[in-house]
Amino acid sequence: MNVEEKIKIISKNTAEIVTIDELRKKLEENQKLKGYIGFEPSGLFHIGWLIWAQKLKDLVDVGVDMSILVATWHAWINDKLGGNLDKIKLAGQYAIEVLNAYGVDMSKVKVVYAEDLVKDSNYWALVIRIAKNTSLARMKRALTIMGRKAEEAELDTSKLIYPAMQVADILYQDLDIALGGTDQRKAHMLARDVSDKLGKKKVIAIHTPLLIGLQGGQRMEGVEEDDYLASVKMSKSKPETAIFVHDPPEVVEAKLRSAYCPKGVVIDNPVLQINKYIIFAKDNATLKVERDIKYGGDIEFKSYEELEKIYSEGKLHPLDLKLATARKLNEILDPIRKKLESKTEFTLLVEELEKGVTR
Ligand SMILES: Nc1ncnc2c1ncn2[C@@H]1O[C@H](COP(=O)(O)OP(=O)(O)OP(=O)(O)O)[C@@H](O)[C@H]1O
Ligand SMILES: N[C@@H](Cc1ccc(O)cc1)C(=O)O
């Protein structure tokens, strides 16, 4: 695979790469690249996460040495799962299982637990050096990477340490690439800025888009784009906005039937976004819409662009799109559901998490 082919695969369905020139240079120099994504293991895995899971897969496919950080301590700081570290760890194993079932070749991905990093005093030296090079205001603003507002730094002091830890995760592991949704941007920019001062490698940030929640969104003047997206994204702590990977087929269909999807509207339409970022993210994907002959008969889309065009022209009824999307999404989720059903420890965890999601 040549450099341009690699770049094409890496950049497909990304919101931004900071910077693409740095990435190209490293690929041209044939450097062996090390990348990571971190996540807080705090419960149910929703389909928004499949967007970065796909990118994780792509990066593995082009030969990047990827690791996944199970951010147990970070989740604990962020008050997830009632502060129960055992449950947090189990939720981490559950997410790894989902990634495996989704088709990420986990034999090629190193799984790192936050415990592995925090046991080394050098890690903590880095955290302090990062804090020393970051203003309090910037550290507070970075709290959006944990789904919190800057003011929430006042809740307890550990929250202020979280962004420095996330930056230390990157610098400590000497990474070339940090992957995450666009809401992780502030951590990655901070890592890039302090790396110069600390004489560390400047990480390349790859950001995947945030899937909007099933309720869609209402843009308001004066609200910054990042804040808007963070408030309307599909989120596990707002289960009513989300389709979870373990949801049974009929639940997936019911959720899609009631999703925001006005006729002809493309912007912030979750059903179209599911097509763009999840269904058509797969090679050679198609979407078959079954319709009565009097409504134009069956139609098969071979690319997302084709689908978007027809939909924006009002030539495809929302319900037809929703039902076709449910069918296709269920095909993608089927192997994940089957894998999870066969593991009782995870079925119990899912049941428990469904009863009382804490953040
Ligand atoms: N709706 C989404 N679409 C795409 N990626 C997402 C979405 N929500 C979160 N992510 C990405 O998933 C990773 C884990 O995020 P996070 O744990 O904050 O998920 P979450 O569902 O928003 O959880 P919480 O509701 O607990 O904040 C991050 O890289 C984040 O950017
Ligand atoms: N901040 C990320 C989780 C994370 C934690 C530590 C990291 O190094 C990376 C990512 C989130 O909320 O999902």
Side-chain angles (χ1 to χ4, degrees):
M1 209 184 285
N2 67 32
V3 170
E4 286 317 312
E5 283 165 344
K6 286 184 182 173
I7 295 222
K8 191 167 168 218
I9 295 175
I10 296 175
S11 48
K12 182 177 178 189
N13 273 344
T14 54
E16 61 175 353
I17 298 183
V18 190
T19 71
I20 190 101
D21 290 344
E22 291 167 14
L23 178 64
R24 180 173 284 109
K25 184 161 180 283
K26 289 198 182 205
L27 290 171
E28 278 168 356
E29 287 167 356
N30 218 1
Q31 292 188 29
K32 188 70 195 151
L33 303 184
K34 264 171 55 173
Y36 100 126
I37 173 135
F39 72 99
E40 282 184 15
S42 49
L44 303 169
F45 197 118
H46 61 74
I47 60 167
W49 283 23
L50 294 179
I51 300 179
W52 61 253
Q54 180 63 43
K55 197 45 59 194
L56 172 61
K57 216 164 149 183
D58 293 343
L59 286 163
V60 171
D61 287 348
V62 301
V64 178
D65 268 343
M66 287 299 292
S67 64
I68 181 150
L69 175 67
V70 186
T72 47
W73 274 101
H74 310 67
W76 181 81
I77 291 178
N78 208 1
D79 304 324
K80 300 286 173 76
L81 299 185
N84 181 334
L85 259 179
D86 289 334
K87 219 181 271 177
I88 290 174
K89 277 186 206 149
L90 185 60
Q93 288 158 10
Y94 160 80
I96 300 288
E97 201 63 45
V98 172
L99 291 171
N100 204 6
Y102 180 61
V104 180
D105 183 352
M106 292 307 287
S107 70
K108 293 196 179 138
V109 178
K110 187 169 154 207
V111 180
V112 178
Y113 283 83
E115 280 79 357
D116 302 332
L117 308 183
V118 303
K119 66 182 179 210
D120 184 352
S121 62
N122 291 319
Y123 174 85
W124 291 106
L126 254 180
V127 172
I128 305 288
R129 290 168 73 205
I130 291 159
K132 181 77 184 151
N133 281 283
T134 308
S135 71
L136 181 58
R138 186 162 184 192
M139 204 66 101
K140 280 187 174 178
R141 281 202 303 275
L143 254 72
T144 49
I145 63 169
M146 50 196 291
R148 303 236 178 210
K149 299 200 173 70
E151 308 84 79
E152 291 181 90
E154 314 284 329
L155 287 175
D156 70 69
T157 317
S158 70
K159 307 241 171 347
L160 261 182
I161 303 172
Y162 183 121
M165 285 174 70
Q166 189 162 333
V167 173
D169 299 338
I170 295 169
L171 303 189
Y172 178 84
Q173 296 184 90
D174 196 32
L175 298 168
D176 300 282
I177 293 175
L179 170 65
T182 51
D183 55 350
Q184 301 303 307
R185 193 167 200 276
K186 289 201 169 79
H188 300 159
M189 293 305 157
L190 189 54
R192 285 174 61 82
D193 290 350
V194 298
S195 59
D196 277 344
K197 295 177 193 153
L198 301 184
K200 297 277 179 190
K201 208 184 255 176
K202 194 174 224 156
V203 78
I204 296 166
I206 299 182
H207 296 144
T208 43
L210 297 177
L211 181 66
I212 195 158
L214 296 173
Q215 78 298 330
Q218 198 69 56
R219 284 173 191 264
M220 275 179 298
E221 240 173 80
V223 178
E224 264 187 47
E225 181 72 3
D226 278 359
D227 292 338
Y228 167 72
L229 291 176
S231 68
V232 296
K233 70 170 195 162
M234 188 173 284
S235 162
K236 63 177 149 19
S237 44
K238 290 190 241 153
E240 70 287 359
T241 68
I243 294 177
F244 294 104
V245 293
H246 64 273
D247 279 341
E250 58 283 6
V251 172
V252 171
E253 186 184 310
K255 286 183 173 178
L256 277 167
R257 272 178 185 269
S258 49
Y260 171 83
C261 186
K263 191 170 181 195
V265 174
V266 172
I267 293 177
D268 294 341
N269 180 327
V271 187
L272 280 176
Q273 285 194 1
I274 289 170
N275 277 283
K276 183 172 184 183
Y277 299 133
I278 298 171
I279 294 175
F280 283 97
K282 299 201 162 283
D283 291 338
N284 307 318
T286 59
L287 183 78
K288 185 164 183 204
V289 179
E290 291 173 7
R291 295 187 297 196
D292 202 287
I293 201 82
K294 66 175 182 250
Y295 298 118
D298 293 356
I299 178 168
E300 187 164 20
F301 297 99
K302 296 210 163 51
S303 72
Y304 173 74
E305 290 69 30
E306 210 185 311
L307 168 66
E308 187 185 291
K309 181 170 179 294
I310 298 286
Y311 194 76
S312 66
E313 290 166 353
K315 292 182 186 155
L316 178 61
H317 191 277
L319 187 60
D320 290 332
L321 172 65
K322 288 174 173 185
L323 294 180
T325 305
R327 252 193 315 274
K328 197 76 191 191
L329 186 58
N330 273 325
E331 274 174 31
I332 294 175
L333 298 182
D334 225 28
I336 305 180
R337 278 191 290 249
K338 290 214 172 82
K339 187 87 182 264
L340 292 177
E341 275 163 16
S342 67
K343 308 241 168 185
T344 34
E345 69 272 36
F346 295 136
T347 4
L348 290 176
L349 177 75
V350 167
E351 273 169 25
E352 199 177 323
L353 294 171
E354 270 182 331
K355 270 187 245 145
V357 184
T358 44
R359 272 194 61 80

